[in-house]
Amino acid sequence: MRIAKIIGGLGVALAISASLVATASYGQVPRARAQAQAAENFTLVMLPDTQYASESWPEVFRAQMQWVDDQQSASNIRYVLHVGDVVDNSDQQYQWDNSKSAMGLPADDVPYIIGPGNHDLDSTTTRAATRYNLNYPRATFTGLPSFGGTYPSTQNDNAYHTFTAGGVDWLVVALKYAPNDSEIAWANQVVSAHPKHNAILVTHAYQNGTTKDANGTKLWTNLVSRHANFRFTFSGHYVNAGVISQQGVNGNTVHQIQADYQSLSQRDPNSYMRVMTYNPTTDTLDVKTYSPYLNRYMTDAKNQFVLNNINPVSPATGSRTEFESGTCDGTIDSNQAGFSGTGFCNTSNMVGAAAQVTVSADTSGAAKLTFGYANGGSSDRPTTVSVNGTTVGTLPFPPTAAWTNWATTTVNVNLNAGNNTIRLSATTAGGAPNLDYVDVA
Ligand code: GCU
Ligand code: CA
């Protein structure tokens, strides 16, 4: 439960659609279950610039988040995406307090992620986010099942979360206002490591209606357009609303959605937010703009529309086990970009150097193991594979041209129901390749 559940008389809860059916599971569903899960409708809520609400009209902000709580089940609301400018004046603690009274803790009800805006920063020149981190610290988010990671690793300036909804996996990357090159590089690494997740970018300033600004142009060119799994970007900052639907270099369409209703002089515009329902059966995103405080929709074409052909990426089959979760005759490293999880096993360069993980199988019988690996050397790294102590063969692990080029190789094995030990042991003096993960299918 969030605190401050009291709303003004107009804050009547209203279901978006009577046809939406609640489902039992919230939070993250293990990958293996994602496909078995019914492909249900689900809803994302986008909160545009709440800065003046935090400053002057906290009741409209509270009404928004109260509505999210009340409708969580009926509308299957799975995430709140705050596109930044949580507050107007970051040096005014009361504005942060007003925002927190509305947002509650991210683990309270519907989880949320924030892409801090220019007003949330200490200074737009330094882009320091001390006050944002004091009020929305990383530690507040790490307990979420959907929490993925942050950059820098000890701060919440930039963050990614993952969740499963509508029968597929989603990755939300939230980048602080005006991302710099190292932040964009981090985001690229995160998106690359989640090829079977549908990527969503949340960032404050990206486009003004249907025209990208300098940040949006840079983010499109250097991040969003580059990945086949990008589907949406959400931003605010400009008092406007617009959508750009555009194909990236891999041919996938990315819907880039912007809205901001902030008004310094009037309360009511600040009370609107986006309520967006994905329907897997029709493959559509139904976008509505609603004020819980006024119980009113904006129904003009810029604010109420349907996006077709979202074409989400199917979830990975089987389950993944990261080599960093096992034992490694060498070191768990993270210096070669592009790996999945938090690192990889870099075995010592010697015969017999091994990496071992435990994988789980639902049933006994034939299974395919897919190893993610990199071999930046010039020759094969032949390595024996054994399952539950029995050698099943030797895989060559041919060169991948660079230590940052990650490839896959497969082997068919038999697994027991339950836990199985997978051990890779180098047969030559070069040791094993860098070992990232094993997928079981
Ligand atoms: C380099 C590289 C390592 C790799 C090693 C090797 O040192 O940085 O990631 O494991 O080569 O040859 O095994
Ligand atoms: Ca090595």
Side-chain angles (χ1 to χ4, degrees):
M1 303 281 277
R2 296 181 206 278
I3 51 174
K5 293 260 182 188
I6 306 133
I7 307 180
L10 291 170
V12 179
L14 182 77
I16 291 299
S17 160
S19 67
L20 297 180
V21 180
T23 57
S25 63
Y26 296 100
Q28 200 170 29
V29 175
R31 190 179 316 232
R33 280 177 51 207
Q35 284 187 317
Q37 187 188 46
E40 79 285 10
N41 289 5
F42 75 94
T43 297
L44 299 173
V45 169
M46 165 184 161
L47 280 181
D49 310 46
T50 53
Q51 64 199 78
Y52 295 134
S54 294
E55 183 175 7
S56 305
W57 296 290
E59 64 275 21
V60 304
F61 197 172
R62 283 203 301 272
Q64 289 174 320
M65 294 305 290
Q66 181 67 50
W67 184 90
V68 168
D69 286 359
D70 293 344
Q71 291 301 308
Q72 174 175 16
S73 177
S75 298
N76 194 18
I77 303 176
R78 302 302 292 275
Y79 241 86
V80 172
L81 313 173
H82 196 309
V83 298
D85 282 1
V86 176
V87 296
D88 191 37
N89 308 104
S90 72
D91 60 351
Q92 297 295 311
Q93 184 57 38
Y94 83 94
Q95 296 181 16
W96 292 110
D97 292 342
N98 280 342
S99 80
K100 289 189 285 184
S101 149
M103 295 293 281
L105 292 170
D108 282 352
D109 293 289
V110 180
Y112 61 80
I113 194 166
I114 302 171
N118 48 310
H119 283 260
D120 300 324
L121 305 182
D122 306 358
S123 133
T124 49
T125 315
T126 65
R127 296 178 65 252
T130 317
R131 296 160 186 154
Y132 173 74
N133 277 283
L134 273 175
N135 287 286
Y136 291 93
R138 180 185 191 275
T140 306
F141 293 82
T142 50
L144 286 175
S146 54
F147 178 79
T150 61
Y151 182 83
S153 60
T154 55
Q155 291 174 210
N156 201 31
D157 297 35
N158 307 280
Y160 80 90
H161 297 182
T162 61
F163 63 99
T164 299
V168 298
D169 293 327
W170 298 88
L171 163 71
V172 186
V173 181
L175 293 181
K176 177 169 80 166
Y177 171 73
N180 63 28
D181 289 348
S182 64
E183 289 163 325
I184 293 174
W186 171 79
N188 270 304
Q189 191 173 330
V190 168
V191 177
S192 293
H194 294 82
K196 300 297 184 184
H197 283 68
N198 293 275
I200 296 172
L201 174 67
V202 169
T203 195
H204 185 60
Y206 184 96
Q207 72 200 64
N208 182 353
T210 56
T211 307
K212 288 196 188 78
D213 68 6
N215 296 307
T217 302
K218 181 173 168 183
L219 285 163
W220 172 258
T221 306
N222 298 336
L223 172 67
V224 179
S225 71
R226 291 187 178 184
H227 298 272
N229 57 326
F230 248 110
R231 289 298 176 274
F232 298 110
T233 72
F234 296 109
S235 62
H237 190 56
Y238 301 100
V239 181
N240 203 343
V243 180
I244 308 170
S245 295
Q246 189 178 5
Q247 282 190 342
V249 298
N250 299 290
N252 54 305
T253 297
V254 185
H255 301 285
Q256 299 151 90
I257 299 175
Q258 185 263 331
D260 177 9
Y261 308 102
Q262 72 186 68
S263 172
L264 180 60
S265 58
Q266 296 170 274
R267 176 195 61 197
D268 291 355
N270 299 285
S271 67
Y272 282 87
M273 63 190 194
R274 283 286 170 87
V275 180
M276 307 177 292
T277 299
Y278 178 66
N279 180 331
T281 308
T282 53
D283 194 22
T284 51
L285 188 77
D286 181 56
V287 178
K288 290 197 161 55
T289 302
Y290 179 60
S291 163
Y293 189 77
L294 304 169
N295 186 18
R296 198 177 296 156
Y297 289 91
M298 284 187 193
T299 56
D300 61 287
K302 276 188 179 178
N303 288 297
Q304 183 165 309
F305 51 90
V306 177
L307 297 173
N308 298 301
N309 301 319
I310 307 305
N311 194 21
V313 176
S314 298
T317 53
S319 60
R320 174 164 297 185
T321 304
E322 300 285 346
F323 273 95
E324 62 267 31
S325 75
T327 57
C328 174
D329 291 346
T331 52
I332 301 298
D333 291 349
S334 57
N335 59 335
Q336 310 290 4
F339 54 85
S340 105
T342 57
F344 55 88
C345 171
N346 166 4
T347 68
S348 306
N349 300 78
M350 56 186 281
V351 174
Q356 182 171 312
V357 288
T358 302
V359 304
S360 170
D362 289 340
T363 53
S364 65
K368 183 166 84 172
L369 303 182
T370 299
F371 295 102
Y373 80 100
N375 176 2
S378 53
S379 38
D380 288 3
R381 295 280 177 103
T383 299
T384 57
V385 181
S386 56
V387 175
N388 299 321
T390 303
T391 301
V392 296
T394 300
L395 290 174
F397 289 107
T400 59
W403 290 106
T404 49
N405 282 347
W406 296 88
T408 56
T409 186
T410 63
V411 61
N412 293 318
V413 299
N414 280 305
L415 296 179
N416 300 328
N419 285 345
N420 295 266
T421 301
I422 311 290
R423 186 176 177 83
L424 298 185
S425 182
T427 63
T428 58
N434 285 346
L435 294 163
D436 188 11
Y437 62 82
V438 54
D439 282 342
V440 179

